[in-house]
Amino acid sequence: MVRRNGFLLLFLMPALSACAGHKRPATIAVEAVETPITWRDTIAPRDRATIDTLPQRLADFGTKVPARQRLAQGALLDPAAALDHATLPPGAYHCRALRIARKVIRKGEADFCHISGVPEGLGFVKQTGTAPTAGYLYSDGNRYVFLGAKQRKAGDNALAYGANQAADMVGVVERVGNFRWRMALAGAALGQLDLYELTPVPPEQQPKG
């Protein structure tokens, strides 16, 4: 989906006819300019501050968990680990979940997620496991901003961001290594931060159905 920032203007301008000596209208057409929608066009004001504070939240959570657990996760818990060239190719991904709450890291299974190219940017759907999530990833410099929602079941994408505030989820995706991305999500619960480690998988290993 795109927004039309420009519109077609029709100007009538008097012009002298060299032959008949009569005035006739001349037209100048200005073509419409199409600009992709950005996350700033879509995000609710309450969630804009959440996106801005996510790096600090990640840093705070990283200092609260035991050093041994923090070191074991490496770049996933380091807010300064984000790298340039964050391009996220469409395709199948393992999405290993880490849930940080009350100084404890709870590890989830390496579920499957899928990223697809759509007019909004990239579509994201968590295909298996718990915490079903779906939404859009908007390119934003050396990161992506995620706007999505908790879904009723894994693989679903029926509930859009903004339809139900209680289900809304926002986050940021950054590249933290070779073929390795970090997706930090806020909004699932107060005082909780969900991290996904995204790594590509061959299409033939993607779950069927």
Side-chain angles (χ1 to χ4, degrees):
M1 180 169 61
V2 293
R3 169 174 294 179
R4 293 185 177 272
N5 289 334
F7 53 89
L8 189 64
L9 298 179
L10 182 65
F11 294 98
L12 298 179
M13 300 178 60
L16 292 176
S17 172
C19 297
H22 296 293
K23 293 182 179 181
R24 64 181 180 183
T27 60
I28 299 177
V30 180
E31 293 185 358
V33 178
E34 296 186 351
T35 304
I37 289 180
T38 70
W39 64 273
R40 292 180 178 84
D41 298 319
T42 307
I43 195 168
R46 65 179 181 275
D47 291 329
R48 185 182 292 269
T50 300
I51 294 294
D52 292 338
T53 59
L54 261 179
Q56 186 58 49
R57 291 183 62 181
L58 179 61
D60 292 343
F61 276 109
T63 60
K64 291 177 181 178
V65 300
R68 178 175 55 83
Q69 294 187 37
R70 183 172 66 252
L71 293 174
Q73 300 306 324
L76 288 181
L77 292 179
D78 181 0
L83 302 172
D84 294 339
H85 310 297
T87 302
L88 196 60
Y93 286 80
H94 285 302
C95 44
R96 182 175 67 92
L98 295 176
R99 174 163 293 174
I100 308 173
R102 297 180 181 180
K103 302 182 182 182
V104 176
I105 298 178
R106 297 183 176 87
K107 299 180 181 180
E109 297 295 329
D111 295 318
F112 287 97
C113 298
H114 193 269
I115 294 174
S116 57
V118 295
E120 289 82 352
L122 294 174
F124 175 89
V125 178
K126 190 168 182 289
Q127 295 176 297
T128 62
T130 59
T133 308
Y136 294 113
L137 293 163
Y138 299 85
S139 181
D140 187 55
N142 284 322
R143 67 177 187 176
Y144 291 87
V145 172
F146 175 76
L147 303 181
K150 293 182 291 184
Q151 304 297 313
R152 296 180 179 86
K153 61 181 180 180
D156 196 5
N157 63 351
L159 190 59
Y161 173 81
N164 179 357
Q165 180 177 344
D168 286 347
M169 301 184 74
V170 299
V172 170
V173 177
E174 299 165 309
R175 189 172 72 89
V176 294
N178 291 332
F179 304 105
R180 189 186 188 202
W181 289 262
R182 171 180 66 203
M183 184 175 189
L185 290 177
L190 184 64
Q192 178 179 301
L193 184 68
D194 289 345
L195 293 179
Y196 288 104
E197 178 188 41
L198 304 180
T199 53
V201 296
E204 61 270 17
Q205 295 182 15
Q206 185 75 349
K208 297 180 180 181

